[in-house]
Amino acid sequence: MAIRPYENKDKEAVRYVCLNCDGPCDMSENAQHFILSTYCDYFIEQEPQNCFVAADENDKAVGYIICAENYDSFIEVFRKEYFTRIPEEDTVHRFYASQSTLLQEKYKDEYPAHFHIDIMPEYQRMGLGQKLIHILLKHLKEKNVRGVMLSVSTENEKGVNFYKKCGFTLLEHTSGSEAYGMTL
Ligand SMILES: CC(C)(COP(=O)(O)OP(=O)(O)OC[C@H]1O[C@@H](n2cnc3c(N)ncnc32)[C@H](O)[C@@H]1OP(=O)(O)O)[C@@H](O)C(=O)NCCC(=O)NCCS
């Protein structure tokens, strides 16, 4: 397994991991479209230099960490170009997409960067997640980014344990989600 910078050739593999990291995807087309528009496409299309993948022996991406290094720049483009990819009549997913950035907004001064990380089920719990976090933190420090944060569903025990193990500090716990941050 190799941890390396994201390349354009990884796009479809990364989108596949995004939809299948919790097992074979059985979401509706609308839901898939929402997930990709909200949690994946902005990062690989607008900030590929801040994305890294874990690749298998055939150099196929089976995991990734994708990051927006500055919240203000992110939200300007996200609102214009990605939120609007969700059809106007799909009000439920538009609502979820607008909610998805609230915690990042709240903590943007201390933690301007935020990220998403996903690994295919058969490659989980092998240390790849920690390696991806490590390479991203090093990269952001080199760019003098002052802090990085993420939000995770409170039901995602795996994710919550993972961020604690990686040294993130709990910023906030609400009924549905938790925010974690790290000063760099
Ligand atoms: C969460 C995720 C990124 C962790 O990556 P990973 O490569 O599996 O994690 P690592 O092997 O580096 O494990 C590091 C630590 O995370 C925690 N962890 C990982 N998988 C876990 C599991 N199934 N149950 C409980 N804790 C777990 C442990 O503390 C582990 O340390 P340990 O093995 O010494 O106990 C990965 O499991 C994943 O992609 N899950 C599905 C998608 C997801 O939840 N993404 C995050 C959404 S916010």
Side-chain angles (χ1 to χ4, degrees):
M1 302 297 299
I3 305 292
R4 61 163 174 79
Y6 170 85
E7 295 173 34
N8 281 340
K9 68 172 183 182
D10 298 317
K11 186 169 186 179
E12 283 320 309
V14 163
R15 295 177 101 232
Y16 183 84
V17 174
C18 179
L19 295 174
N20 293 278
C21 60
D22 280 321
C25 177
D26 59 1
M27 288 180 255
S28 68
E29 272 199 30
N30 274 359
Q32 292 183 35
H33 190 67
F34 152 70
I35 294 284
L36 292 171
S37 305
T38 307
Y39 298 112
C40 184
D41 290 343
Y42 165 85
F43 303 88
I44 56 178
E45 290 174 6
Q46 302 294 331
E47 302 197 36
Q49 72 281 10
N50 294 323
C51 300
F52 298 87
V53 298
D56 70 7
E57 62 282 8
N58 299 314
D59 203 33
K60 184 178 136 199
V62 296
Y64 62 74
I65 190 159
I66 54 181
C67 177
E69 83 175 65
N70 179 278
Y71 178 80
D72 290 327
S73 314
F74 157 79
I75 200 66
E76 195 182 332
V77 178
F78 177 76
R79 283 202 182 117
K80 255 189 241 153
E81 292 186 32
Y82 293 86
F83 179 77
T84 49
R85 287 184 184 181
I86 303 167
E88 221 174 325
E89 58 275 18
D90 189 358
T91 51
V92 172
H93 287 124
R94 277 212 164 189
F95 174 74
Y96 290 154
S98 61
Q99 296 287 302
S100 73
T101 55
L102 294 182
L103 285 169
Q104 283 82 344
E105 169 114 42
K106 185 167 171 185
Y107 293 102
K108 68 176 185 166
D109 292 339
E110 205 175 339
Y111 307 99
H114 73 280
F115 68 87
H116 300 290
I117 180 168
D118 288 312
I119 294 163
M120 286 299 283
E122 57 272 36
Y123 291 93
Q124 291 176 14
R125 207 85 194 243
M126 292 168 51
L128 292 175
Q130 288 179 92
K131 287 185 179 156
L132 285 166
I133 292 277
H134 181 77
I135 198 170
L136 177 68
L137 296 181
K138 184 168 175 284
H139 173 75
L140 293 176
K141 274 183 201 166
E142 283 166 6
K143 295 184 102 177
N144 290 320
V145 175
R146 62 196 300 221
V148 61
M149 61 88 63
L150 66 290
S151 58
V152 56
S153 158
T154 44
E155 285 167 18
N156 186 350
E157 203 186 322
K158 222 189 279 190
V160 167
N161 280 338
F162 173 71
Y163 296 123
K164 285 182 186 158
K165 172 95 183 196
C166 290
F168 285 85
T169 303
L170 179 66
L171 305 175
E172 177 170 334
H173 173 102
T174 66
S175 58
S177 55
E178 292 184 356
Y180 286 85
M182 188 184 286
T183 303
L184 299 173

